[in-house]
Amino acid sequence: MEGACRVPMACCRPRMLLLHALFWGLVSLRVFGAALLSEERTTGEQSMMGDVVYSDCWALTCALSLLAVKPVATPCWLMEEFTVTRACAQCNAFETKSYPSCSQTGFYERVNCTKSNKDEVKSCRSSQMEEQSFWHFEAVMLSLTVLFGVVVVTRQRALDRLASEKVRRQIESI
């Protein structure tokens, strides 16, 4: 039977479509806003004395860790410029237990602070992890594109059926 539409017409009304568009728009803004905040936190900030401070914090974790007063000495890479002596690498089981910085992202890099000449371990974001996140995002976007394409085609067919029924009834009434 032609009238067996799988998507309820209530879901295809302009008001519902507008609400869906608004919801997904807000979700997108939240995602892009978080990405921008993360980017700002990792590019480096100026301290009160004018030194470059490289930050390895992300979003709420960073804000909470900056507010908490810790008696532990601040890592040198937060207070001064540094050079990377070992590129970003994945932590193994031993390093995960021995380096607290491995617990944040699962990756670490060795840095040498310029002024104090200290070697320290710092958490980092891996290009492999970023690439995996990118392809995951692409897959989700492709799936949503297909889903909403199907919704549009279904709605168009339902509207075409309604229009042809209306024309048929008008022709029958003549």
Side-chain angles (χ1 to χ4, degrees):
M1 181 172 215
E2 258 186 75
C5 179
R6 293 188 186 271
V7 177
M9 286 306 293
C11 293
C12 298
R13 292 197 176 126
R15 184 183 308 161
M16 286 302 294
L17 290 175
L18 182 66
L19 286 174
H20 280 282
L22 180 65
F23 172 75
W24 288 113
L26 290 174
V27 168
S28 298
L29 283 175
R30 172 67 178 111
V31 168
F32 290 130
L36 286 175
L37 282 176
S38 174
E39 185 176 302
E40 287 175 9
R41 297 302 254 166
T42 58
T43 56
E45 302 169 350
Q46 292 291 327
S47 68
M48 294 293 215
M49 295 182 286
D51 296 327
V52 176
V53 177
Y54 291 91
S55 176
D56 196 45
C57 300
W58 294 284
L60 186 60
T61 307
C62 180
L64 292 175
S65 67
L66 289 176
L67 290 176
V69 177
K70 297 179 183 177
V72 179
T74 307
C76 68
W77 49 267
L78 282 176
M79 304 306 270
E80 57 188 81
E81 292 185 19
F82 61 86
T83 57
V84 177
T85 57
R86 183 173 178 206
C88 193
Q90 190 167 9
C91 302
N92 60 28
F94 175 73
E95 291 166 338
T96 303
K97 292 178 183 175
S98 60
Y99 300 141
S101 52
C102 277
S103 63
Q104 292 176 354
T105 61
F107 292 87
Y108 76 100
E109 63 187 357
R110 288 202 170 273
V111 295
N112 184 1
C113 297
T114 309
K115 291 180 184 174
S116 62
N117 202 22
K118 287 183 181 178
D119 283 333
E120 291 196 10
V121 176
K122 170 183 175 307
S123 181
C124 63
R125 299 191 86 169
S126 164
S127 60
Q128 296 167 341
M129 184 175 65
E130 294 294 329
E131 184 177 0
Q132 183 180 3
S133 296
F134 170 76
W135 287 115
H136 178 73
F137 173 76
E138 287 295 317
V140 168
M141 290 301 111
L142 181 63
S143 302
L144 287 175
T145 301
V146 169
L147 173 73
F148 286 115
V150 168
V151 169
V152 166
V153 168
T154 305
R155 176 165 168 73
Q156 188 62 47
R157 286 181 182 170
L159 291 174
D160 289 345
R161 264 196 307 274
L162 288 174
S164 64
E165 280 291 317
K166 186 175 181 181
V167 168
R168 187 184 59 79
R169 277 185 269 146
Q170 286 176 350
I171 290 173
E172 286 176 354
S173 67
I174 293 179

